[in-house]
Amino acid sequence: MPGKVEIRNIRKSYGSFVALNDVSLDIAPGEFLTLLGPSGSGKTTLLNVLAGFVRPDSGSITIDGTEFLTLPPHKRNLGMVFQNYALFPHMSVGRNVGYPLRLRGVPATEIERRVRDALDLVQMAHLADRSVDALSGGQRQRVALARAIVFEPSILLMDEPLSALDKKLREHMQLELKRLHNRLGTTTVYVTHDQREALTLSDRIAVVNGGRIAQLGTPDEIYDRPRNKFVADFIGETRFLPVEHGASGLSLYGRPLKARDEWKSFDGDTPWLVVRPERLRWYGEEADAANRIDAEATGIIYQGDSYLVTVRMPDGVEIDLRRGPDIAGKELLQRGQPVHLWLDREHTILVSDKP
Ligand code: ATP
């Protein structure tokens, strides 16, 4: 089950609305690739094109070199998991998981063994005889996962599989999915609008916006090297500060600003400084004096594992920064207190609002 996917120039319109606009993407065998984007950006449409439920207007998809778009859905050898489980009600866990094998005419003893193995993998073997109607949300999603992998599909497609679960269970299931993927190595295409989930699970993330791929990269590339304002805004708790670009270089609130990368201006567009709450430094920490901002504290909130400190910038914009629980000088942090902030050059990321 290698599963190398080559997606080329896929377009799909609904009337005059372009849902997928010339999407090209390679997915390596065994890769966990996430389509991440806001609602309506085209993620599900692309997944449905892969699944064979939506026919694109043009473009091609090959899997291991074989044209895929002409194959009907049931010949594509895909495992699928959706948000709403789509299990057969009133049927036992074991019969649900065995269904794809019965469909493929696998002998009964073989079905029994493979169902047991798949249920073992998702830690549901002890509930094989229970009706799926009597399961919790997390358990149902495990059954759906077992049913999707039991026939060893070449590709696993998952559309927001965890979004119906509460936060704690969702985070737990993310780690289980990652463990399962490490073990099985099935090429996986995963859809979510949750950036943290995407960062946790993926080998690579394709950030989708308006039917196009805004950026494709590993989680740290997407987080640390966002290509534009949209990507920077979508990932992390991001705020933007306006940067001046004059003859003497870049400046922020009248002070010189040294960025990690040289600013490559496109038609004179404005650079924006990407500010993430965990990256701003303060007080006597090692600092690049050039990248200093004189701000004012307006609030401090203890959140157990960290403090969320709100500061007001010289132009009145308020932003949050996050510090560990043992921050120095927290007793000095009163409303109206001046605070000196710095951004080290490595984390001084500039983006443009052009795509
Ligand atoms: P969500 O996270 O909300 O599911 P998405 O990124 O998965 O969003 P898609 O479901 O791919 O978005 O939809 C992309 C766009 O295409 C949306 O604006 C949607 O309204 C439109 N669209 C999808 N299917 C159809 C259809 N059958 N007819 C008309 N428009 C459609």
Side-chain angles (χ1 to χ4, degrees):
M1 49 161 196
K4 177 178 167 52
V5 185
E6 289 174 273
I7 299 171
R8 287 289 173 275
N9 310 105
I10 294 289
R11 290 183 68 90
K12 176 70 194 173
S13 300
Y14 295 105
S16 61
F17 178 79
V18 183
L20 292 175
N21 194 348
D22 205 24
V23 171
S24 294
L25 181 64
D26 282 359
I27 307 169
E31 184 170 31
F32 196 116
L33 182 117
T34 296
L35 305 172
L36 171 70
S39 184
S41 56
K43 310 177 295 290
T44 298
T45 304
L46 184 56
L47 205 73
N48 283 337
V49 168
L50 277 166
F53 304 148
V54 166
R55 183 188 287 272
D57 303 330
S58 56
S60 82
I61 300 182
T62 59
I63 299 214
D64 298 324
T66 306
E67 182 53 59
F68 198 60
L69 288 178
T70 47
L71 290 179
H74 66 277
K75 293 244 170 92
R76 295 189 180 200
N77 198 30
L78 300 167
M80 285 182 250
V81 187
F82 301 112
Q83 178 184 341
N84 53 4
Y85 321 120
L87 297 175
F88 302 111
H90 321 308
M91 230 188 238
S92 72
V93 166
R95 282 194 66 77
N96 260 283
V97 175
Y99 179 78
L101 300 176
R102 289 198 294 282
L103 209 62
R104 288 167 171 78
V106 175
T109 48
E110 168 99 9
I111 291 182
E112 203 179 313
R113 182 183 62 75
R114 285 167 70 173
V115 166
R116 201 174 46 238
D117 288 352
L119 285 175
D120 264 342
L121 272 173
V122 297
Q123 294 157 34
M124 287 288 290
H126 60 297
L127 295 177
D129 298 326
R130 188 177 282 186
S131 163
V132 294
D133 305 318
L135 297 179
S136 72
Q139 289 170 333
R140 282 173 202 223
Q141 209 47 303
R142 286 197 173 104
V143 176
L145 194 57
R147 191 181 58 180
I149 59 178
V150 74
F151 58 98
E152 299 183 355
S154 32
I155 299 177
L156 198 51
L157 303 180
M158 296 200 248
D159 195 351
E160 307 257 7
L162 307 182
S163 58
L165 308 179
D166 66 49
K167 183 168 180 290
K168 203 163 172 191
L169 184 58
R170 198 163 69 227
E171 288 172 357
H172 175 75
M173 289 291 289
Q174 286 168 9
L175 298 179
E176 285 206 8
L177 272 181
K178 190 150 180 102
R179 178 184 58 83
L180 194 66
H181 179 256
N182 287 342
R183 198 148 152 201
L184 296 177
T186 311
T187 308
T188 302
V189 185
Y190 191 95
V191 164
T192 184
H193 61 266
D194 179 338
Q195 45 114 358
R196 205 173 178 84
E197 185 162 296
L199 292 171
T200 303
L201 285 168
S202 318
D203 294 317
R204 284 189 309 159
I205 298 170
V207 182
V208 185
N209 182 27
R212 290 178 188 270
I213 295 179
Q215 188 169 354
L216 174 67
T218 59
D220 50 329
E221 280 166 356
I222 298 280
Y223 192 85
D224 289 328
R225 297 193 171 255
R227 188 186 287 160
N228 56 36
K229 205 172 171 202
F230 173 82
V231 175
D233 194 23
F234 203 71
I235 309 269
E237 294 175 54
T238 312
R239 295 297 303 269
F240 298 96
L241 298 177
V243 173
E244 305 280 326
H245 188 216
S248 57
L250 299 166
S251 61
L252 178 70
Y253 301 128
R255 288 179 184 275
L257 185 76
K258 286 191 200 150
R260 183 184 58 196
D261 304 312
E262 211 177 305
W263 172 246
K264 294 183 209 75
S265 160
F266 305 99
D267 307 325
D269 54 338
T270 320
W272 292 90
L273 175 65
V274 176
V275 180
R276 300 243 165 80
E278 76 283 9
R279 299 293 199 213
L280 269 176
R281 299 171 172 275
W282 66 358
Y283 283 119
E285 292 176 0
E286 210 49 54
D288 184 341
N291 288 2
R292 176 170 154 174
I293 310 166
D294 292 322
E296 187 184 297
T298 57
I300 177 164
I301 299 170
Y302 179 57
Q303 294 185 319
D305 59 347
S306 59
Y307 283 92
L308 195 67
V309 182
T310 307
V311 292
R312 185 181 291 131
M313 295 291 151
D315 59 359
V317 170
E318 291 204 330
I319 67 170
D320 295 327
L321 55 125
R322 194 173 291 288
R323 303 305 324 212
D326 47 359
I327 50 172
K330 59 175 176 268
E331 64 286 353
L332 300 175
L333 269 178
Q334 306 296 335
R335 191 172 283 273
Q337 173 88 19
V339 283
H340 306 299
L341 304 170
W342 290 274
L343 252 181
D344 63 30
R345 191 172 182 163
E346 179 56 23
H347 294 122
T348 301
I349 304 164
L350 300 177
V351 289
S352 131
D353 42 18
K354 300 247 167 70

PDB file of all heavy atoms in Angstrom, residues 12-15 17-20 35-48 54 83 159-160 191-193 208 211, ligand 1:
ATOM      1  N   LYS A  12     -12.708  23.205  -9.793  1.00  0.00           N
ATOM      2  CA  LYS A  12     -14.116  22.844  -9.620  1.00  0.00           C
ATOM      3  C   LYS A  12     -14.924  24.110  -9.358  1.00  0.00           C
ATOM      4  O   LYS A  12     -14.619  24.868  -8.430  1.00  0.00           O
ATOM      5  CB  LYS A  12     -14.270  21.875  -8.429  1.00  0.00           C
ATOM      6  CG  LYS A  12     -15.701  21.522  -8.098  1.00  0.00           C
ATOM      7  CD  LYS A  12     -16.321  20.645  -9.168  1.00  0.00           C
ATOM      8  CE  LYS A  12     -17.826  20.558  -9.041  1.00  0.00           C
ATOM      9  NZ  LYS A  12     -18.428  19.847 -10.188  1.00  0.00           N
ATOM     10  N   SER A  13     -15.936  24.338 -10.183  1.00  0.00           N
ATOM     11  CA  SER A  13     -16.816  25.492  -9.980  1.00  0.00           C
ATOM     12  C   SER A  13     -18.228  25.018  -9.726  1.00  0.00           C
ATOM     13  O   SER A  13     -18.647  23.965 -10.236  1.00  0.00           O
ATOM     14  CB  SER A  13     -16.820  26.389 -11.217  1.00  0.00           C
ATOM     15  OG  SER A  13     -15.531  26.853 -11.476  1.00  0.00           O
ATOM     16  N   TYR A  14     -18.931  25.789  -8.931  1.00  0.00           N
ATOM     17  CA  TYR A  14     -20.378  25.600  -8.794  1.00  0.00           C
ATOM     18  C   TYR A  14     -21.007  26.853  -9.381  1.00  0.00           C
ATOM     19  O   TYR A  14     -20.959  27.909  -8.750  1.00  0.00           O
ATOM     20  CB  TYR A  14     -20.782  25.427  -7.327  1.00  0.00           C
ATOM     21  CG  TYR A  14     -20.222  24.172  -6.707  1.00  0.00           C
ATOM     22  CD1 TYR A  14     -19.153  24.224  -5.817  1.00  0.00           C
ATOM     23  CD2 TYR A  14     -20.768  22.919  -7.021  1.00  0.00           C
ATOM     24  CE1 TYR A  14     -18.642  23.061  -5.248  1.00  0.00           C
ATOM     25  CE2 TYR A  14     -20.258  21.760  -6.458  1.00  0.00           C
ATOM     26  CZ  TYR A  14     -19.201  21.841  -5.577  1.00  0.00           C
ATOM     27  OH  TYR A  14     -18.695  20.697  -5.021  1.00  0.00           O
ATOM     28  N   GLY A  15     -21.554  26.784 -10.593  1.00  0.00           N
ATOM     29  CA  GLY A  15     -22.013  27.996 -11.286  1.00  0.00           C
ATOM     30  C   GLY A  15     -20.819  28.913 -11.476  1.00  0.00           C
ATOM     31  O   GLY A  15     -19.763  28.483 -11.942  1.00  0.00           O
ATOM     32  N   PHE A  17     -19.200  30.264  -8.999  1.00  0.00           N
ATOM     33  CA  PHE A  17     -18.344  30.211  -7.807  1.00  0.00           C
ATOM     34  C   PHE A  17     -17.243  29.164  -7.987  1.00  0.00           C
ATOM     35  O   PHE A  17     -17.516  27.996  -8.278  1.00  0.00           O
ATOM     36  CB  PHE A  17     -19.198  29.872  -6.575  1.00  0.00           C
ATOM     37  CG  PHE A  17     -18.381  29.742  -5.325  1.00  0.00           C
ATOM     38  CD1 PHE A  17     -17.953  30.869  -4.642  1.00  0.00           C
ATOM     39  CD2 PHE A  17     -18.012  28.490  -4.841  1.00  0.00           C
ATOM     40  CE1 PHE A  17     -17.182  30.755  -3.501  1.00  0.00           C
ATOM     41  CE2 PHE A  17     -17.243  28.357  -3.696  1.00  0.00           C
ATOM     42  CZ  PHE A  17     -16.828  29.498  -3.025  1.00  0.00           C
ATOM     43  N   VAL A  18     -16.005  29.617  -7.827  1.00  0.00           N
ATOM     44  CA  VAL A  18     -14.872  28.702  -8.008  1.00  0.00           C
ATOM     45  C   VAL A  18     -14.492  28.106  -6.641  1.00  0.00           C
ATOM     46  O   VAL A  18     -13.962  28.800  -5.782  1.00  0.00           O
ATOM     47  CB  VAL A  18     -13.657  29.440  -8.629  1.00  0.00           C
ATOM     48  CG1 VAL A  18     -12.513  28.464  -8.876  1.00  0.00           C
ATOM     49  CG2 VAL A  18     -14.069  30.131  -9.923  1.00  0.00           C
ATOM     50  N   ALA A  19     -14.792  26.821  -6.446  1.00  0.00           N
ATOM     51  CA  ALA A  19     -14.510  26.177  -5.148  1.00  0.00           C
ATOM     52  C   ALA A  19     -13.064  25.695  -5.079  1.00  0.00           C
ATOM     53  O   ALA A  19     -12.437  25.745  -4.020  1.00  0.00           O
ATOM     54  CB  ALA A  19     -15.468  25.016  -4.921  1.00  0.00           C
ATOM     55  N   LEU A  20     -12.528  25.216  -6.209  1.00  0.00           N
ATOM     56  CA  LEU A  20     -11.120  24.814  -6.272  1.00  0.00           C
ATOM     57  C   LEU A  20     -10.496  25.476  -7.490  1.00  0.00           C
ATOM     58  O   LEU A  20     -11.001  25.332  -8.605  1.00  0.00           O
ATOM     59  CB  LEU A  20     -10.988  23.288  -6.379  1.00  0.00           C
ATOM     60  CG  LEU A  20     -11.406  22.482  -5.153  1.00  0.00           C
ATOM     61  CD1 LEU A  20     -11.338  20.990  -5.450  1.00  0.00           C
ATOM     62  CD2 LEU A  20     -10.543  22.815  -3.933  1.00  0.00           C
ATOM     63  N   LEU A  35      -5.276  19.297   5.202  1.00  0.00           N
ATOM     64  CA  LEU A  35      -5.819  20.465   4.529  1.00  0.00           C
ATOM     65  C   LEU A  35      -6.432  21.333   5.613  1.00  0.00           C
ATOM     66  O   LEU A  35      -7.393  20.929   6.273  1.00  0.00           O
ATOM     67  CB  LEU A  35      -6.890  20.060   3.511  1.00  0.00           C
ATOM     68  CG  LEU A  35      -6.461  19.039   2.450  1.00  0.00           C
ATOM     69  CD1 LEU A  35      -7.668  18.587   1.630  1.00  0.00           C
ATOM     70  CD2 LEU A  35      -5.402  19.651   1.534  1.00  0.00           C
ATOM     71  N   LEU A  36      -5.846  22.485   5.825  1.00  0.00           N
ATOM     72  CA  LEU A  36      -6.268  23.375   6.907  1.00  0.00           C
ATOM     73  C   LEU A  36      -6.758  24.679   6.289  1.00  0.00           C
ATOM     74  O   LEU A  36      -6.082  25.260   5.454  1.00  0.00           O
ATOM     75  CB  LEU A  36      -5.066  23.660   7.822  1.00  0.00           C
ATOM     76  CG  LEU A  36      -5.243  24.725   8.890  1.00  0.00           C
ATOM     77  CD1 LEU A  36      -6.200  24.257   9.979  1.00  0.00           C
ATOM     78  CD2 LEU A  36      -3.900  25.096   9.525  1.00  0.00           C
ATOM     79  N   GLY A  37      -7.929  25.119   6.711  1.00  0.00           N
ATOM     80  CA  GLY A  37      -8.410  26.401   6.178  1.00  0.00           C
ATOM     81  C   GLY A  37      -9.734  26.760   6.789  1.00  0.00           C
ATOM     82  O   GLY A  37     -10.373  25.930   7.446  1.00  0.00           O
ATOM     83  N   PRO A  38     -10.177  27.999   6.573  1.00  0.00           N
ATOM     84  CA  PRO A  38     -11.443  28.422   7.144  1.00  0.00           C
ATOM     85  C   PRO A  38     -12.621  27.743   6.460  1.00  0.00           C
ATOM     86  O   PRO A  38     -12.458  27.097   5.412  1.00  0.00           O
ATOM     87  CB  PRO A  38     -11.458  29.940   6.884  1.00  0.00           C
ATOM     88  CG  PRO A  38     -10.506  30.158   5.764  1.00  0.00           C
ATOM     89  CD  PRO A  38      -9.500  29.060   5.822  1.00  0.00           C
ATOM     90  N   SER A  39     -13.789  27.912   7.038  1.00  0.00           N
ATOM     91  CA  SER A  39     -15.002  27.334   6.477  1.00  0.00           C
ATOM     92  C   SER A  39     -15.218  27.860   5.057  1.00  0.00           C
ATOM     93  O   SER A  39     -15.049  29.055   4.807  1.00  0.00           O
ATOM     94  CB  SER A  39     -16.174  27.732   7.387  1.00  0.00           C
ATOM     95  OG  SER A  39     -17.329  27.123   6.946  1.00  0.00           O
ATOM     96  N   GLY A  40     -15.536  26.961   4.148  1.00  0.00           N
ATOM     97  CA  GLY A  40     -15.831  27.381   2.778  1.00  0.00           C
ATOM     98  C   GLY A  40     -14.602  27.548   1.898  1.00  0.00           C
ATOM     99  O   GLY A  40     -14.711  27.997   0.759  1.00  0.00           O
ATOM    100  N   SER A  41     -13.417  27.174   2.392  1.00  0.00           N
ATOM    101  CA  SER A  41     -12.205  27.410   1.608  1.00  0.00           C
ATOM    102  C   SER A  41     -11.972  26.346   0.536  1.00  0.00           C
ATOM    103  O   SER A  41     -11.148  26.531  -0.345  1.00  0.00           O
ATOM    104  CB  SER A  41     -10.984  27.488   2.539  1.00  0.00           C
ATOM    105  OG  SER A  41     -10.878  26.328   3.322  1.00  0.00           O
ATOM    106  N   GLY A  42     -12.689  25.205   0.634  1.00  0.00           N
ATOM    107  CA  GLY A  42     -12.567  24.186  -0.409  1.00  0.00           C
ATOM    108  C   GLY A  42     -11.957  22.878   0.056  1.00  0.00           C
ATOM    109  O   GLY A  42     -11.741  21.963  -0.753  1.00  0.00           O
ATOM    110  N   LYS A  43     -11.699  22.744   1.359  1.00  0.00           N
ATOM    111  CA  LYS A  43     -11.043  21.538   1.881  1.00  0.00           C
ATOM    112  C   LYS A  43     -11.856  20.274   1.595  1.00  0.00           C
ATOM    113  O   LYS A  43     -11.345  19.294   1.062  1.00  0.00           O
ATOM    114  CB  LYS A  43     -10.858  21.648   3.415  1.00  0.00           C
ATOM    115  CG  LYS A  43     -10.220  22.924   3.880  1.00  0.00           C
ATOM    116  CD  LYS A  43     -10.130  22.985   5.383  1.00  0.00           C
ATOM    117  CE  LYS A  43     -11.454  23.023   6.145  1.00  0.00           C
ATOM    118  NZ  LYS A  43     -12.219  24.271   6.013  1.00  0.00           N
ATOM    119  N   THR A  44     -13.150  20.323   1.967  1.00  0.00           N
ATOM    120  CA  THR A  44     -13.994  19.146   1.788  1.00  0.00           C
ATOM    121  C   THR A  44     -14.189  18.842   0.306  1.00  0.00           C
ATOM    122  O   THR A  44     -14.240  17.678  -0.096  1.00  0.00           O
ATOM    123  CB  THR A  44     -15.354  19.368   2.490  1.00  0.00           C
ATOM    124  OG1 THR A  44     -15.091  19.545   3.879  1.00  0.00           O
ATOM    125  CG2 THR A  44     -16.282  18.194   2.306  1.00  0.00           C
ATOM    126  N   THR A  45     -14.276  19.896  -0.493  1.00  0.00           N
ATOM    127  CA  THR A  45     -14.435  19.676  -1.933  1.00  0.00           C
ATOM    128  C   THR A  45     -13.237  18.892  -2.466  1.00  0.00           C
ATOM    129  O   THR A  45     -13.402  17.921  -3.213  1.00  0.00           O
ATOM    130  CB  THR A  45     -14.571  21.022  -2.671  1.00  0.00           C
ATOM    131  OG1 THR A  45     -15.662  21.740  -2.093  1.00  0.00           O
ATOM    132  CG2 THR A  45     -14.819  20.822  -4.154  1.00  0.00           C
ATOM    133  N   LEU A  46     -12.035  19.263  -2.044  1.00  0.00           N
ATOM    134  CA  LEU A  46     -10.842  18.551  -2.518  1.00  0.00           C
ATOM    135  C   LEU A  46     -10.840  17.101  -2.021  1.00  0.00           C
ATOM    136  O   LEU A  46     -10.522  16.174  -2.773  1.00  0.00           O
ATOM    137  CB  LEU A  46      -9.572  19.289  -2.058  1.00  0.00           C
ATOM    138  CG  LEU A  46      -8.252  18.709  -2.556  1.00  0.00           C
ATOM    139  CD1 LEU A  46      -8.229  18.628  -4.089  1.00  0.00           C
ATOM    140  CD2 LEU A  46      -7.061  19.544  -2.081  1.00  0.00           C
ATOM    141  N   LEU A  47     -11.252  16.912  -0.770  1.00  0.00           N
ATOM    142  CA  LEU A  47     -11.317  15.549  -0.235  1.00  0.00           C
ATOM    143  C   LEU A  47     -12.349  14.726  -1.013  1.00  0.00           C
ATOM    144  O   LEU A  47     -12.124  13.550  -1.321  1.00  0.00           O
ATOM    145  CB  LEU A  47     -11.688  15.604   1.259  1.00  0.00           C
ATOM    146  CG  LEU A  47     -11.222  14.406   2.063  1.00  0.00           C
ATOM    147  CD1 LEU A  47      -9.719  14.469   2.254  1.00  0.00           C
ATOM    148  CD2 LEU A  47     -11.906  14.366   3.431  1.00  0.00           C
ATOM    149  N   ASN A  48     -13.478  15.374  -1.346  1.00  0.00           N
ATOM    150  CA  ASN A  48     -14.527  14.672  -2.092  1.00  0.00           C
ATOM    151  C   ASN A  48     -14.108  14.359  -3.528  1.00  0.00           C
ATOM    152  O   ASN A  48     -14.560  13.375  -4.113  1.00  0.00           O
ATOM    153  CB  ASN A  48     -15.833  15.480  -2.079  1.00  0.00           C
ATOM    154  CG  ASN A  48     -16.547  15.362  -0.744  1.00  0.00           C
ATOM    155  OD1 ASN A  48     -16.327  14.401  -0.002  1.00  0.00           O
ATOM    156  ND2 ASN A  48     -17.387  16.329  -0.430  1.00  0.00           N
ATOM    157  N   VAL A  54     -17.121  13.971  -5.893  1.00  0.00           N
ATOM    158  CA  VAL A  54     -17.243  15.205  -6.677  1.00  0.00           C
ATOM    159  C   VAL A  54     -16.332  15.061  -7.887  1.00  0.00           C
ATOM    160  O   VAL A  54     -15.171  14.675  -7.754  1.00  0.00           O
ATOM    161  CB  VAL A  54     -16.813  16.441  -5.836  1.00  0.00           C
ATOM    162  CG1 VAL A  54     -16.614  17.664  -6.708  1.00  0.00           C
ATOM    163  CG2 VAL A  54     -17.835  16.730  -4.739  1.00  0.00           C
ATOM    164  N   GLN A  83     -16.878  13.274  10.250  1.00  0.00           N
ATOM    165  CA  GLN A  83     -17.250  13.843  11.549  1.00  0.00           C
ATOM    166  C   GLN A  83     -18.394  13.073  12.207  1.00  0.00           C
ATOM    167  O   GLN A  83     -18.389  12.838  13.402  1.00  0.00           O
ATOM    168  CB  GLN A  83     -17.662  15.292  11.308  1.00  0.00           C
ATOM    169  CG  GLN A  83     -18.116  16.003  12.540  1.00  0.00           C
ATOM    170  CD  GLN A  83     -18.602  17.403  12.199  1.00  0.00           C
ATOM    171  OE1 GLN A  83     -18.291  17.956  11.148  1.00  0.00           O
ATOM    172  NE2 GLN A  83     -19.350  17.986  13.098  1.00  0.00           N
ATOM    173  N   ASP A 159     -12.311  13.632   7.312  1.00  0.00           N
ATOM    174  CA  ASP A 159     -12.893  14.967   7.266  1.00  0.00           C
ATOM    175  C   ASP A 159     -13.385  15.372   8.645  1.00  0.00           C
ATOM    176  O   ASP A 159     -14.426  14.893   9.087  1.00  0.00           O
ATOM    177  CB  ASP A 159     -14.040  15.012   6.249  1.00  0.00           C
ATOM    178  CG  ASP A 159     -14.433  16.447   5.914  1.00  0.00           C
ATOM    179  OD1 ASP A 159     -13.939  17.369   6.586  1.00  0.00           O
ATOM    180  OD2 ASP A 159     -15.244  16.633   4.992  1.00  0.00           O
ATOM    181  N   GLU A 160     -12.658  16.216   9.317  1.00  0.00           N
ATOM    182  CA  GLU A 160     -13.005  16.700  10.658  1.00  0.00           C
ATOM    183  C   GLU A 160     -13.457  15.558  11.570  1.00  0.00           C
ATOM    184  O   GLU A 160     -14.510  15.645  12.204  1.00  0.00           O
ATOM    185  CB  GLU A 160     -14.145  17.735  10.565  1.00  0.00           C
ATOM    186  CG  GLU A 160     -13.876  18.873   9.607  1.00  0.00           C
ATOM    187  CD  GLU A 160     -13.478  20.168  10.302  1.00  0.00           C
ATOM    188  OE1 GLU A 160     -13.273  20.144  11.525  1.00  0.00           O
ATOM    189  OE2 GLU A 160     -13.344  21.173   9.606  1.00  0.00           O
ATOM    190  N   VAL A 191      -8.737  16.618   6.947  1.00  0.00           N
ATOM    191  CA  VAL A 191      -9.297  17.968   6.841  1.00  0.00           C
ATOM    192  C   VAL A 191      -9.634  18.509   8.216  1.00  0.00           C
ATOM    193  O   VAL A 191     -10.283  17.826   9.008  1.00  0.00           O
ATOM    194  CB  VAL A 191     -10.578  17.952   5.962  1.00  0.00           C
ATOM    195  CG1 VAL A 191     -11.386  19.239   6.155  1.00  0.00           C
ATOM    196  CG2 VAL A 191     -10.220  17.782   4.502  1.00  0.00           C
ATOM    197  N   THR A 192      -9.196  19.723   8.484  1.00  0.00           N
ATOM    198  CA  THR A 192      -9.602  20.372   9.732  1.00  0.00           C
ATOM    199  C   THR A 192      -9.542  21.887   9.567  1.00  0.00           C
ATOM    200  O   THR A 192      -8.867  22.407   8.684  1.00  0.00           O
ATOM    201  CB  THR A 192      -8.717  19.933  10.920  1.00  0.00           C
ATOM    202  OG1 THR A 192      -9.211  20.531  12.124  1.00  0.00           O
ATOM    203  CG2 THR A 192      -7.262  20.345  10.749  1.00  0.00           C
ATOM    204  N   HIS A 193     -10.303  22.600  10.421  1.00  0.00           N
ATOM    205  CA  HIS A 193     -10.123  24.050  10.468  1.00  0.00           C
ATOM    206  C   HIS A 193      -9.425  24.444  11.766  1.00  0.00           C
ATOM    207  O   HIS A 193      -9.272  25.611  12.065  1.00  0.00           O
ATOM    208  CB  HIS A 193     -11.468  24.781  10.319  1.00  0.00           C
ATOM    209  CG  HIS A 193     -12.429  24.454  11.416  1.00  0.00           C
ATOM    210  ND1 HIS A 193     -13.377  23.459  11.296  1.00  0.00           N
ATOM    211  CD2 HIS A 193     -12.561  24.950  12.640  1.00  0.00           C
ATOM    212  CE1 HIS A 193     -14.042  23.384  12.435  1.00  0.00           C
ATOM    213  NE2 HIS A 193     -13.574  24.274  13.272  1.00  0.00           N
ATOM    214  N   VAL A 208      -5.357  26.178   3.055  1.00  0.00           N
ATOM    215  CA  VAL A 208      -6.232  26.420   1.913  1.00  0.00           C
ATOM    216  C   VAL A 208      -7.015  27.710   2.145  1.00  0.00           C
ATOM    217  O   VAL A 208      -7.525  27.945   3.235  1.00  0.00           O
ATOM    218  CB  VAL A 208      -7.222  25.242   1.734  1.00  0.00           C
ATOM    219  CG1 VAL A 208      -8.065  25.431   0.483  1.00  0.00           C
ATOM    220  CG2 VAL A 208      -6.473  23.916   1.670  1.00  0.00           C
ATOM    221  N   GLY A 211     -10.147  28.375  -2.251  1.00  0.00           N
ATOM    222  CA  GLY A 211      -9.977  27.396  -3.321  1.00  0.00           C
ATOM    223  C   GLY A 211      -8.551  27.235  -3.826  1.00  0.00           C
ATOM    224  O   GLY A 211      -8.309  26.559  -4.821  1.00  0.00           O
TER     225      GLY A 211
HETATM  226  P1  ATP B   1     -16.124  23.655   5.942  1.00  0.00           P
HETATM  227  O1  ATP B   1     -14.960  23.688   6.886  1.00  0.00           O
HETATM  228  O2  ATP B   1     -17.192  24.624   6.322  1.00  0.00           O
HETATM  229  O3  ATP B   1     -16.624  22.276   5.652  1.00  0.00           O
HETATM  230  P2  ATP B   1     -14.688  23.610   3.439  1.00  0.00           P
HETATM  231  O4  ATP B   1     -13.386  24.317   3.348  1.00  0.00           O
HETATM  232  O5  ATP B   1     -14.651  22.142   3.578  1.00  0.00           O
HETATM  233  O6  ATP B   1     -15.565  24.265   4.558  1.00  0.00           O
HETATM  234  P3  ATP B   1     -16.162  23.120   1.053  1.00  0.00           P
HETATM  235  O7  ATP B   1     -17.204  22.250   1.658  1.00  0.00           O
HETATM  236  O8  ATP B   1     -15.111  22.478   0.243  1.00  0.00           O
HETATM  237  O9  ATP B   1     -15.491  24.034   2.148  1.00  0.00           O
HETATM  238  O10 ATP B   1     -16.905  24.198   0.175  1.00  0.00           O
HETATM  239  C1  ATP B   1     -16.205  25.189  -0.565  1.00  0.00           C
HETATM  240  C2  ATP B   1     -17.210  26.137  -1.168  1.00  0.00           C
HETATM  241  O11 ATP B   1     -17.933  25.488  -2.207  1.00  0.00           O
HETATM  242  C3  ATP B   1     -18.229  26.658  -0.168  1.00  0.00           C
HETATM  243  O12 ATP B   1     -18.407  28.037  -0.386  1.00  0.00           O
HETATM  244  C4  ATP B   1     -19.473  25.892  -0.516  1.00  0.00           C
HETATM  245  O13 ATP B   1     -20.621  26.675  -0.236  1.00  0.00           O
HETATM  246  C5  ATP B   1     -19.329  25.627  -1.989  1.00  0.00           C
HETATM  247  N1  ATP B   1     -19.991  24.367  -2.358  1.00  0.00           N
HETATM  248  C6  ATP B   1     -19.648  23.145  -1.917  1.00  0.00           C
HETATM  249  N2  ATP B   1     -20.453  22.191  -2.461  1.00  0.00           N
HETATM  250  C7  ATP B   1     -21.348  22.852  -3.245  1.00  0.00           C
HETATM  251  C8  ATP B   1     -22.422  22.448  -4.070  1.00  0.00           C
HETATM  252  N3  ATP B   1     -22.757  21.161  -4.205  1.00  0.00           N
HETATM  253  N4  ATP B   1     -23.098  23.412  -4.720  1.00  0.00           N
HETATM  254  C9  ATP B   1     -22.748  24.708  -4.603  1.00  0.00           C
HETATM  255  N5  ATP B   1     -21.735  25.157  -3.839  1.00  0.00           N
HETATM  256  C10 ATP B   1     -21.024  24.257  -3.169  1.00  0.00           C
END
